[in-house]
Amino acid sequence: MASIRARSNKWQARVIRVGHPTIAKTFLTRQDAEKWARSIEIEIDRGTYINNDYAQKTLFKEILQKYLDDVTPQMRSADTQAIRVRKLMKHPIAEVNMAQLSPRHMADYRDERLKVIKPNTVIRELAVMSSIINHARREWGLNIINPVTMIKKPSSSQGRDRILNNEELDRLFIELEKISPWYKPLVKFAIETAMRRGELTSLLWTNVNFEKSVAFLPLTKNGDSRYVPLSSKAISILKLLPRDIEGRVFPLNKQTVSIFFLRASRRAKIEDIHFHDLRHMSITRLASVFSNPMELASISGHKSLSMLKRYTHFKAEDLVKKLNKINH
């Protein structure tokens, strides 16, 4: 039952129902208070009432901050995720009240970001916001519909197929050697094994078995562990490396690896290349040897064969050669 009482020249309506928290709101007139109370009672009776007090009292930046403090530190990619969340906190959308955060806000954000960054990056940013809002809905009692789910996502751009030729690799190695003795062997090992950047920088000597020619990765991007077969060339690269006191094979920071790789690429006058392209190069090369996609996925660590397909690009002329072999 609702109660209406005067408070400081205003009228407070309180709706009390068994099984529901007390709902209260203040109005300028008694008539408005009574009207509101009746509407809330009707919604409760119909089972359609949603308590959005928390949303009305909370800005998006407060949700982002709580996520940054409570959730992000527990993630494997904590540093990367923290950078993304802090970046969102600086955007005007962070100042919007959660009860008012709408698909329109998200659509405007999408369109604005598409003017300065690539569609795939916008998709990732929207996914981060969606994940944060869903967490707040599940864990913190945020009773709103996730507005990210209601807008159209940008179309994904075609997967990259950049592969360095031998001449470009030679120029790149020269520049990498100038930066640090670790970067050239790191790049060579990356091309030979198809390991991800984080897997390379976290690889420990204790997890390298020279007798069996395998490297063990206890925790990978998809949450699983895996064994990476090491070719004789990969083994040779490792045997020439000095042993670091920390026990890491490549004692380098994951973030700076990409920065210095780009710096060396520019100095070598190599355009449109990123460190992650090395993995693409490696998997494409391995795909010419391992025709069984399950074997290839076992090496690369892909759970989805559709994702693996993004990294394998075959030249049409090479496929023609294979077709001609069938006819002879």
Side-chain angles (χ1 to χ4, degrees), residues 16-80:
I16 304 174
R17 284 292 182 90
V18 176
H20 292 271
T22 299
I23 309 164
K25 194 171 182 179
T26 302
F27 299 87
L28 294 175
T29 68
R30 183 184 181 95
Q31 183 180 8
D32 287 343
E34 291 174 345
K35 183 179 179 181
W36 174 82
R38 284 195 300 272
S39 68
I40 295 298
E41 288 177 325
I42 291 172
E43 288 183 13
I44 292 176
D45 291 339
R46 291 176 176 172
T48 59
Y49 174 72
I50 296 177
N51 186 347
N52 63 351
D53 284 352
Y54 178 48
Q56 290 176 342
K57 298 174 183 177
T58 308
L59 299 180
F60 191 22
K61 68 179 180 181
E62 295 176 282
I63 294 292
L64 293 171
Q65 185 64 61
K66 184 172 176 60
Y67 189 87
L68 183 64
D69 295 338
D70 299 350
V71 182
T72 302
Q74 311 303 321
M75 303 174 74
R76 291 204 311 275
S77 56
D79 293 341
T80 302

Side-chain angles (χ1 to χ4, degrees), residues 208-227:
V208 176
N209 189 321
F210 284 101
E211 184 178 342
K212 295 182 178 180
S213 295
V214 295
F216 176 61
L217 305 177
L219 187 63
T220 63
K221 181 181 178 181
N222 58 28
D224 293 337
S225 61
R226 82 172 188 276
Y227 286 92

